[in-house]
Amino acid sequence: GKLGAANTKKHASKVKVPSESARAALSEVFTPENEKLYQLLEANPGPPMEQTPFPRFEDNQKPNTTSLCFPSVLFIGVQKSGTSTIADWMFRGGILSPLVFDNEPDFYNKEVHFFDHDDRYNEGPKFYAQRFHHSCQDHAEESMVEKSLAMDATPNTYMYPDRVHEVFQSTGEDQII
């Protein structure tokens, strides 16, 4: 169906968060369908790129010796599919957002646009990791890093699986949601 003018982007009374009854109704419809999809994917593994936008990481990764801190969640999806609402809900729930630096637009606090903007990608992994250093605590005496959940919700990341794989694999980051 078509949304009425009251739910357009610029309208003052735009619905930003679905009501509890709407979420319950959606959950009732989508939960069983999602479960069917998960069962189908588990029963038919196929090549990794066929089912996910990112290659599977191998177990023989080198350890992260770069001390870079990447997001633990890459939340991606096509525009106008509800990703902003879900991302806002996740940020309000405690997942850390990327840091925004001087002269960067405010929307970078949700969407880093590292993988999909050549000028930012060419800055390298350290440039990307700087946006998430606040999500890691280094416990040098214990030789470990404690990591809080942090998220990059850049929608167009799905179009750059090779870049994502290259960056995360080259730095030894093998845990990503």
mmCIF file of all heavy atoms in Angstrom, residues 75-114:
data_model
loop_
_atom_site.group_PDB
_atom_site.id
_atom_site.type_symbol
_atom_site.label_atom_id
_atom_site.label_comp_id
_atom_site.label_asym_id
_atom_site.label_seq_id
_atom_site.Cartn_x
_atom_site.Cartn_y
_atom_site.Cartn_z
ATOM 1 N N PHE A 75 25.336 -3.544 10.122
ATOM 2 C CA PHE A 75 23.904 -3.647 9.871
ATOM 3 C C PHE A 75 23.639 -3.049 8.503
ATOM 4 O O PHE A 75 23.785 -1.855 8.300
ATOM 5 C CB PHE A 75 23.129 -2.904 10.959
ATOM 6 C CG PHE A 75 21.646 -3.054 10.850
ATOM 7 C CD1 PHE A 75 21.051 -4.290 10.991
ATOM 8 C CD2 PHE A 75 20.844 -1.960 10.603
ATOM 9 C CE1 PHE A 75 19.682 -4.434 10.894
ATOM 10 C CE2 PHE A 75 19.474 -2.087 10.498
ATOM 11 C CZ PHE A 75 18.891 -3.334 10.651
ATOM 12 N N ILE A 76 23.272 -3.898 7.560
ATOM 13 C CA ILE A 76 23.113 -3.434 6.187
ATOM 14 C C ILE A 76 21.735 -3.791 5.663
ATOM 15 O O ILE A 76 21.081 -4.706 6.150
ATOM 16 C CB ILE A 76 24.189 -4.026 5.265
ATOM 17 C CG1 ILE A 76 24.125 -5.553 5.277
ATOM 18 C CG2 ILE A 76 25.563 -3.544 5.660
ATOM 19 C CD1 ILE A 76 25.023 -6.213 4.280
ATOM 20 N N GLY A 77 21.309 -3.076 4.687
ATOM 21 C CA GLY A 77 20.039 -3.334 4.032
ATOM 22 C C GLY A 77 19.797 -2.238 3.017
ATOM 23 O O GLY A 77 20.426 -1.189 3.055
ATOM 24 N N VAL A 78 18.896 -2.502 2.134
ATOM 25 C CA VAL A 78 18.600 -1.507 1.115
ATOM 26 C C VAL A 78 17.839 -0.337 1.724
ATOM 27 O O VAL A 78 17.176 -0.472 2.752
ATOM 28 C CB VAL A 78 17.806 -2.118 -0.058
ATOM 29 C CG1 VAL A 78 18.630 -3.179 -0.756
ATOM 30 C CG2 VAL A 78 16.486 -2.688 0.399
ATOM 31 N N GLN A 79 17.937 0.811 1.075
ATOM 32 C CA GLN A 79 17.247 1.995 1.559
ATOM 33 C C GLN A 79 15.739 1.784 1.533
ATOM 34 O O GLN A 79 15.210 1.044 0.713
ATOM 35 C CB GLN A 79 17.647 3.202 0.723
ATOM 36 C CG GLN A 79 19.107 3.565 0.923
ATOM 37 C CD GLN A 79 19.525 4.760 0.093
ATOM 38 O OE1 GLN A 79 18.801 5.242 -0.751
ATOM 39 N NE2 GLN A 79 20.725 5.251 0.352
ATOM 40 N N LYS A 80 15.068 2.426 2.456
ATOM 41 C CA LYS A 80 13.606 2.378 2.594
ATOM 42 C C LYS A 80 13.096 1.001 3.019
ATOM 43 O O LYS A 80 11.962 0.641 2.745
ATOM 44 C CB LYS A 80 12.895 2.816 1.305
ATOM 45 C CG LYS A 80 13.258 4.216 0.866
ATOM 46 C CD LYS A 80 12.830 5.212 1.913
ATOM 47 C CE LYS A 80 13.200 6.623 1.500
ATOM 48 N NZ LYS A 80 13.035 7.558 2.578
ATOM 49 N N SER A 81 13.964 0.204 3.682
ATOM 50 C CA SER A 81 13.525 -1.119 4.131
ATOM 51 C C SER A 81 13.388 -1.193 5.647
ATOM 52 O O SER A 81 13.239 -2.273 6.197
ATOM 53 C CB SER A 81 14.502 -2.191 3.629
ATOM 54 O OG SER A 81 15.773 -2.014 4.227
ATOM 55 N N GLY A 82 13.472 -0.053 6.315
ATOM 56 C CA GLY A 82 13.303 -0.029 7.768
ATOM 57 C C GLY A 82 14.598 -0.100 8.552
ATOM 58 O O GLY A 82 14.578 -0.179 9.779
ATOM 59 N N THR A 83 15.735 -0.059 7.857
ATOM 60 C CA THR A 83 17.005 -0.190 8.572
ATOM 61 C C THR A 83 17.255 0.965 9.533
ATOM 62 O O THR A 83 17.811 0.764 10.606
ATOM 63 C CB THR A 83 18.191 -0.313 7.592
ATOM 64 O OG1 THR A 83 18.152 0.779 6.679
ATOM 65 C CG2 THR A 83 18.142 -1.623 6.831
ATOM 66 N N SER A 84 16.847 2.173 9.182
ATOM 67 C CA SER A 84 17.079 3.316 10.079
ATOM 68 C C SER A 84 16.310 3.157 11.379
ATOM 69 O O SER A 84 16.847 3.409 12.463
ATOM 70 C CB SER A 84 16.677 4.627 9.404
ATOM 71 O OG SER A 84 17.567 4.915 8.360
ATOM 72 N N THR A 85 15.074 2.720 11.299
ATOM 73 C CA THR A 85 14.270 2.524 12.504
ATOM 74 C C THR A 85 14.880 1.448 13.384
ATOM 75 O O THR A 85 15.009 1.621 14.600
ATOM 76 C CB THR A 85 12.818 2.148 12.124
ATOM 77 O OG1 THR A 85 12.262 3.220 11.362
ATOM 78 C CG2 THR A 85 11.972 1.906 13.357
ATOM 79 N N ILE A 86 15.284 0.344 12.779
ATOM 80 C CA ILE A 86 15.879 -0.745 13.553
ATOM 81 C C ILE A 86 17.225 -0.316 14.129
ATOM 82 O O ILE A 86 17.533 -0.586 15.292
ATOM 83 C CB ILE A 86 16.015 -2.015 12.691
ATOM 84 C CG1 ILE A 86 14.627 -2.519 12.309
ATOM 85 C CG2 ILE A 86 16.802 -3.093 13.426
ATOM 86 C CD1 ILE A 86 14.629 -3.608 11.256
ATOM 87 N N ALA A 87 18.041 0.380 13.337
ATOM 88 C CA ALA A 87 19.338 0.849 13.828
ATOM 89 C C ALA A 87 19.156 1.816 14.997
ATOM 90 O O ALA A 87 19.861 1.697 16.014
ATOM 91 C CB ALA A 87 20.126 1.521 12.700
ATOM 92 N N ASP A 88 18.226 2.745 14.881
ATOM 93 C CA ASP A 88 17.968 3.679 15.987
ATOM 94 C C ASP A 88 17.560 2.926 17.241
ATOM 95 O O ASP A 88 18.008 3.244 18.344
ATOM 96 C CB ASP A 88 16.880 4.686 15.601
ATOM 97 C CG ASP A 88 17.336 5.663 14.533
ATOM 98 O OD1 ASP A 88 18.559 5.792 14.315
ATOM 99 O OD2 ASP A 88 16.462 6.299 13.905
ATOM 100 N N TRP A 89 16.721 1.926 17.094
ATOM 101 C CA TRP A 89 16.278 1.116 18.223
ATOM 102 C C TRP A 89 17.476 0.403 18.867
ATOM 103 O O TRP A 89 17.598 0.355 20.091
ATOM 104 C CB TRP A 89 15.231 0.111 17.738
ATOM 105 C CG TRP A 89 14.795 -0.888 18.752
ATOM 106 C CD1 TRP A 89 13.987 -0.675 19.826
ATOM 107 C CD2 TRP A 89 15.158 -2.268 18.786
ATOM 108 N NE1 TRP A 89 13.818 -1.847 20.525
ATOM 109 C CE2 TRP A 89 14.522 -2.847 19.906
ATOM 110 C CE3 TRP A 89 15.949 -3.084 17.968
ATOM 111 C CZ2 TRP A 89 14.658 -4.187 20.237
ATOM 112 C CZ3 TRP A 89 16.076 -4.419 18.303
ATOM 113 C CH2 TRP A 89 15.444 -4.953 19.414
ATOM 114 N N MET A 90 18.383 -0.137 18.025
ATOM 115 C CA MET A 90 19.559 -0.835 18.548
ATOM 116 C C MET A 90 20.503 0.137 19.256
ATOM 117 O O MET A 90 21.053 -0.180 20.314
ATOM 118 C CB MET A 90 20.269 -1.579 17.419
ATOM 119 C CG MET A 90 19.441 -2.746 16.883
ATOM 120 S SD MET A 90 20.132 -3.514 15.402
ATOM 121 C CE MET A 90 21.510 -4.417 16.102
ATOM 122 N N PHE A 91 20.686 1.330 18.697
ATOM 123 C CA PHE A 91 21.541 2.323 19.350
ATOM 124 C C PHE A 91 20.955 2.737 20.697
ATOM 125 O O PHE A 91 21.669 2.864 21.681
ATOM 126 C CB PHE A 91 21.745 3.551 18.460
ATOM 127 C CG PHE A 91 22.647 3.313 17.267
ATOM 128 C CD1 PHE A 91 22.298 3.781 16.022
ATOM 129 C CD2 PHE A 91 23.851 2.636 17.402
ATOM 130 C CE1 PHE A 91 23.128 3.582 14.915
ATOM 131 C CE2 PHE A 91 24.692 2.423 16.316
ATOM 132 C CZ PHE A 91 24.325 2.891 15.069
ATOM 133 N N ARG A 92 19.628 2.935 20.733
ATOM 134 C CA ARG A 92 18.985 3.291 22.004
ATOM 135 C C ARG A 92 19.097 2.153 23.017
ATOM 136 O O ARG A 92 19.075 2.378 24.215
ATOM 137 C CB ARG A 92 17.511 3.652 21.796
ATOM 138 C CG ARG A 92 17.299 5.024 21.195
ATOM 139 C CD ARG A 92 15.849 5.489 21.307
ATOM 140 N NE ARG A 92 14.865 4.498 20.932
ATOM 141 C CZ ARG A 92 14.377 4.302 19.699
ATOM 142 N NH1 ARG A 92 14.794 5.067 18.708
ATOM 143 N NH2 ARG A 92 13.487 3.372 19.456
ATOM 144 N N GLY A 93 19.227 0.918 22.524
ATOM 145 C CA GLY A 93 19.340 -0.245 23.390
ATOM 146 C C GLY A 93 20.742 -0.478 23.924
ATOM 147 O O GLY A 93 20.968 -1.410 24.684
ATOM 148 N N GLY A 94 21.692 0.358 23.522
ATOM 149 C CA GLY A 94 23.021 0.256 24.105
ATOM 150 C C GLY A 94 24.146 -0.076 23.157
ATOM 151 O O GLY A 94 25.313 -0.056 23.548
ATOM 152 N N ILE A 95 23.847 -0.410 21.912
ATOM 153 C CA ILE A 95 24.924 -0.644 20.954
ATOM 154 C C ILE A 95 25.553 0.702 20.626
ATOM 155 O O ILE A 95 24.856 1.680 20.392
ATOM 156 C CB ILE A 95 24.388 -1.352 19.693
ATOM 157 C CG1 ILE A 95 23.950 -2.766 20.061
ATOM 158 C CG2 ILE A 95 25.433 -1.366 18.590
ATOM 159 C CD1 ILE A 95 23.420 -3.580 18.906
ATOM 160 N N LEU A 96 26.861 0.754 20.633
ATOM 161 C CA LEU A 96 27.574 2.017 20.423
ATOM 162 C C LEU A 96 27.560 2.416 18.960
ATOM 163 O O LEU A 96 27.712 1.587 18.071
ATOM 164 C CB LEU A 96 29.015 1.889 20.908
ATOM 165 C CG LEU A 96 29.183 1.550 22.394
ATOM 166 C CD1 LEU A 96 30.657 1.343 22.726
ATOM 167 C CD2 LEU A 96 28.579 2.614 23.275
ATOM 168 N N SER A 97 27.413 3.712 18.737
ATOM 169 C CA SER A 97 27.438 4.238 17.374
ATOM 170 C C SER A 97 28.856 4.707 17.040
ATOM 171 O O SER A 97 29.664 4.944 17.934
ATOM 172 C CB SER A 97 26.446 5.387 17.230
ATOM 173 O OG SER A 97 26.792 6.443 18.078
ATOM 174 N N PRO A 98 29.162 4.845 15.751
ATOM 175 C CA PRO A 98 30.486 5.323 15.350
ATOM 176 C C PRO A 98 30.703 6.765 15.807
ATOM 177 O O PRO A 98 29.757 7.537 15.950
ATOM 178 C CB PRO A 98 30.457 5.257 13.824
ATOM 179 C CG PRO A 98 29.259 4.472 13.453
ATOM 180 C CD PRO A 98 28.313 4.531 14.603
ATOM 181 N N LEU A 99 31.951 7.109 16.011
ATOM 182 C CA LEU A 99 32.297 8.490 16.334
ATOM 183 C C LEU A 99 32.293 9.325 15.057
ATOM 184 O O LEU A 99 32.638 8.842 13.981
ATOM 185 C CB LEU A 99 33.687 8.559 16.970
ATOM 186 C CG LEU A 99 33.858 7.844 18.310
ATOM 187 C CD1 LEU A 99 35.312 7.901 18.751
ATOM 188 C CD2 LEU A 99 32.949 8.439 19.360
ATOM 189 N N VAL A 100 31.895 10.575 15.190
ATOM 190 C CA VAL A 100 31.909 11.521 14.075
ATOM 191 C C VAL A 100 33.000 12.542 14.365
ATOM 192 O O VAL A 100 33.085 13.066 15.471
ATOM 193 C CB VAL A 100 30.540 12.230 13.937
ATOM 194 C CG1 VAL A 100 30.576 13.244 12.805
ATOM 195 C CG2 VAL A 100 29.435 11.218 13.713
ATOM 196 N N PHE A 101 33.836 12.812 13.396
ATOM 197 C CA PHE A 101 34.936 13.751 13.575
ATOM 198 C C PHE A 101 34.623 15.093 12.927
ATOM 199 O O PHE A 101 33.654 15.227 12.175
ATOM 200 C CB PHE A 101 36.225 13.148 13.020
ATOM 201 C CG PHE A 101 36.639 11.900 13.765
ATOM 202 C CD1 PHE A 101 36.628 10.672 13.141
ATOM 203 C CD2 PHE A 101 36.987 11.955 15.104
ATOM 204 C CE1 PHE A 101 36.988 9.523 13.823
ATOM 205 C CE2 PHE A 101 37.352 10.815 15.795
ATOM 206 C CZ PHE A 101 37.354 9.599 15.157
ATOM 207 N N ASP A 102 35.434 16.078 13.235
ATOM 208 C CA ASP A 102 35.238 17.430 12.713
ATOM 209 C C ASP A 102 35.053 17.412 11.194
ATOM 210 O O ASP A 102 35.691 16.642 10.485
ATOM 211 C CB ASP A 102 36.438 18.317 13.051
ATOM 212 C CG ASP A 102 36.550 18.584 14.543
ATOM 213 O OD1 ASP A 102 35.537 18.441 15.252
ATOM 214 O OD2 ASP A 102 37.653 18.929 14.996
ATOM 215 N N ASN A 103 34.191 18.283 10.736
ATOM 216 C CA ASN A 103 33.899 18.459 9.310
ATOM 217 C C ASN A 103 33.239 17.256 8.649
ATOM 218 O O ASN A 103 33.235 17.158 7.425
ATOM 219 C CB ASN A 103 35.175 18.839 8.538
ATOM 220 C CG ASN A 103 35.795 20.103 9.075
ATOM 221 O OD1 ASN A 103 35.084 21.052 9.410
ATOM 222 N ND2 ASN A 103 37.105 20.128 9.179
ATOM 223 N N GLU A 104 32.710 16.318 9.436
ATOM 224 C CA GLU A 104 31.961 15.206 8.878
ATOM 225 C C GLU A 104 30.467 15.442 9.124
ATOM 226 O O GLU A 104 30.096 16.013 10.145
ATOM 227 C CB GLU A 104 32.362 13.877 9.525
ATOM 228 C CG GLU A 104 33.749 13.408 9.169
ATOM 229 C CD GLU A 104 34.066 12.040 9.740
ATOM 230 O OE1 GLU A 104 33.503 11.659 10.789
ATOM 231 O OE2 GLU A 104 34.897 11.355 9.145
ATOM 232 N N PRO A 105 29.616 14.992 8.218
ATOM 233 C CA PRO A 105 28.174 15.163 8.422
ATOM 234 C C PRO A 105 27.685 14.354 9.631
ATOM 235 O O PRO A 105 28.258 13.322 9.969
ATOM 236 C CB PRO A 105 27.545 14.643 7.139
ATOM 237 C CG PRO A 105 28.642 14.137 6.282
ATOM 238 C CD PRO A 105 29.945 14.361 6.960
ATOM 239 N N ASP A 106 26.609 14.815 10.245
ATOM 240 C CA ASP A 106 26.061 14.161 11.435
ATOM 241 C C ASP A 106 25.621 12.722 11.178
ATOM 242 O O ASP A 106 25.680 11.892 12.087
ATOM 243 C CB ASP A 106 24.875 14.960 11.990
ATOM 244 C CG ASP A 106 25.313 16.259 12.651
ATOM 245 O OD1 ASP A 106 26.496 16.368 13.030
ATOM 246 O OD2 ASP A 106 24.464 17.154 12.784
ATOM 247 N N PHE A 107 25.191 12.410 9.949
ATOM 248 C CA PHE A 107 24.699 11.052 9.704
ATOM 249 C C PHE A 107 25.801 10.003 9.806
ATOM 250 O O PHE A 107 25.520 8.811 9.858
ATOM 251 C CB PHE A 107 23.945 10.937 8.368
ATOM 252 C CG PHE A 107 24.781 11.152 7.140
ATOM 253 C CD1 PHE A 107 25.541 10.132 6.603
ATOM 254 C CD2 PHE A 107 24.779 12.388 6.514
ATOM 255 C CE1 PHE A 107 26.301 10.334 5.464
ATOM 256 C CE2 PHE A 107 25.526 12.599 5.370
ATOM 257 C CZ PHE A 107 26.292 11.564 4.839
ATOM 258 N N TYR A 108 27.068 10.426 9.867
ATOM 259 C CA TYR A 108 28.155 9.465 10.048
ATOM 260 C C TYR A 108 28.099 8.821 11.435
ATOM 261 O O TYR A 108 28.806 7.866 11.687
ATOM 262 C CB TYR A 108 29.517 10.117 9.823
ATOM 263 C CG TYR A 108 29.906 10.301 8.362
ATOM 264 C CD1 TYR A 108 31.060 10.956 8.017
ATOM 265 C CD2 TYR A 108 29.127 9.799 7.332
ATOM 266 C CE1 TYR A 108 31.426 11.127 6.685
ATOM 267 C CE2 TYR A 108 29.481 9.962 6.013
ATOM 268 C CZ TYR A 108 30.631 10.618 5.692
ATOM 269 O OH TYR A 108 31.001 10.773 4.375
ATOM 270 N N ASN A 109 27.256 9.318 12.344
ATOM 271 C CA ASN A 109 27.131 8.668 13.650
ATOM 272 C C ASN A 109 26.308 7.379 13.541
ATOM 273 O O ASN A 109 26.160 6.667 14.517
ATOM 274 C CB ASN A 109 26.528 9.603 14.698
ATOM 275 C CG ASN A 109 25.054 9.853 14.476
ATOM 276 O OD1 ASN A 109 24.512 9.586 13.403
ATOM 277 N ND2 ASN A 109 24.403 10.391 15.477
ATOM 278 N N LYS A 110 25.806 7.091 12.356
ATOM 279 C CA LYS A 110 25.110 5.832 12.081
ATOM 280 C C LYS A 110 25.770 5.123 10.897
ATOM 281 O O LYS A 110 25.992 3.936 10.915
ATOM 282 C CB LYS A 110 23.636 6.099 11.771
ATOM 283 C CG LYS A 110 22.873 4.877 11.339
ATOM 284 C CD LYS A 110 21.453 5.243 10.898
ATOM 285 C CE LYS A 110 20.945 4.214 9.944
ATOM 286 N NZ LYS A 110 20.439 4.708 8.719
ATOM 287 N N GLU A 111 26.043 5.892 9.869
ATOM 288 C CA GLU A 111 26.562 5.364 8.608
ATOM 289 C C GLU A 111 27.965 5.918 8.360
ATOM 290 O O GLU A 111 28.111 7.080 8.010
ATOM 291 C CB GLU A 111 25.651 5.777 7.455
ATOM 292 C CG GLU A 111 24.205 5.375 7.631
ATOM 293 C CD GLU A 111 23.300 5.935 6.542
ATOM 294 O OE1 GLU A 111 23.806 6.544 5.571
ATOM 295 O OE2 GLU A 111 22.079 5.766 6.670
ATOM 296 N N VAL A 112 28.970 5.067 8.506
ATOM 297 C CA VAL A 112 30.357 5.530 8.335
ATOM 298 C C VAL A 112 30.706 5.748 6.865
ATOM 299 O O VAL A 112 31.522 6.586 6.536
ATOM 300 C CB VAL A 112 31.331 4.524 8.998
ATOM 301 C CG1 VAL A 112 32.776 4.940 8.781
ATOM 302 C CG2 VAL A 112 31.031 4.411 10.485
ATOM 303 N N HIS A 113 30.078 5.002 5.980
ATOM 304 C CA HIS A 113 30.353 5.090 4.534
ATOM 305 C C HIS A 113 31.836 4.887 4.227
ATOM 306 O O HIS A 113 32.433 5.611 3.455
ATOM 307 C CB HIS A 113 29.845 6.405 3.937
ATOM 308 C CG HIS A 113 28.360 6.456 3.869
ATOM 309 N ND1 HIS A 113 27.643 5.806 2.907
ATOM 310 C CD2 HIS A 113 27.454 7.062 4.680
ATOM 311 C CE1 HIS A 113 26.349 6.007 3.103
ATOM 312 N NE2 HIS A 113 26.205 6.767 4.169
ATOM 313 N N PHE A 114 32.407 3.862 4.849
ATOM 314 C CA PHE A 114 33.809 3.529 4.602
ATOM 315 C C PHE A 114 33.947 2.637 3.370
ATOM 316 O O PHE A 114 34.729 2.930 2.474
ATOM 317 C CB PHE A 114 34.413 2.831 5.823
ATOM 318 C CG PHE A 114 35.806 2.325 5.612
ATOM 319 C CD1 PHE A 114 36.870 3.211 5.525
ATOM 320 C CD2 PHE A 114 36.065 0.974 5.487
ATOM 321 C CE1 PHE A 114 38.168 2.749 5.319
ATOM 322 C CE2 PHE A 114 37.351 0.498 5.286
ATOM 323 C CZ PHE A 114 38.401 1.393 5.198
#
